[in-house]
Amino acid sequence: MSTQSQALNWRPVCTLDDIAPNTGICALVNDRHVAVFHVTGEAGTLFAIDNYDPNAQASVLSRGLIGSLGERIVVASPIYKHHFDLQSGECLEAPENSVNAYAVRVEDRVVHVAL
């Protein structure tokens, strides 16, 4: 484990089996609503961003549709369909309304998020 990884405050949120492939779940981590996504395919991995969509002013991003725009893996908010980059949290249509992105890891099939 790297020194950087040790310095992060990792919190268990669910098991890998709790997140259906190519969907997201919402977890409460340190009093913050976090959307955790399990993306399969060539770039298969886990991502975590804030669940709160500042464009819609609602905690809904975990229920959005996962897709890609160019090289970016994104989630489309279910309300106004703004796209959020799952790696960076950037809102592509309104960058001023971007969200935080968080580190994610799996240990013994338990998903951990670092805030």
Side-chain angles (χ1 to χ4, degrees):
M1 187 180 305
S2 73
T3 304
Q4 178 184 11
S5 181
Q6 289 175 349
L8 295 176
N9 189 11
W10 293 99
R11 299 286 188 202
V13 295
C14 64
T15 68
L16 189 56
D17 298 326
D18 291 331
I19 312 173
N22 296 313
T23 67
I25 57 109
C26 181
L28 187 61
V29 182
N30 293 349
D31 295 325
R32 186 173 206 106
H33 292 193
V34 176
V36 182
F37 299 92
H38 179 198
V39 179
T40 61
E42 285 183 32
T45 192
L46 294 167
F47 298 95
I49 61 173
D50 286 327
N51 191 49
Y52 184 78
D53 177 354
N55 301 293
Q57 298 183 355
S59 289
V60 295
L61 292 179
S62 64
R63 294 185 281 155
L65 295 175
I66 297 171
S68 61
L69 290 174
E71 297 294 316
R72 293 181 177 213
I73 301 171
V74 298
V75 62
S77 176
I79 297 181
Y80 293 128
K81 311 302 184 235
H82 287 95
H83 297 92
F84 292 84
D85 184 307
L86 290 181
Q87 268 193 299
S88 67
E90 181 184 4
C91 178
L92 303 185
E93 291 80 9
E96 66 278 7
N97 287 335
S98 296
V99 298
N100 294 309
Y102 305 102
V104 184
R105 71 179 182 195
V106 177
E107 287 185 355
D108 298 324
R109 299 199 59 78
V110 176
V111 177
H112 295 79
V113 174
L115 295 187

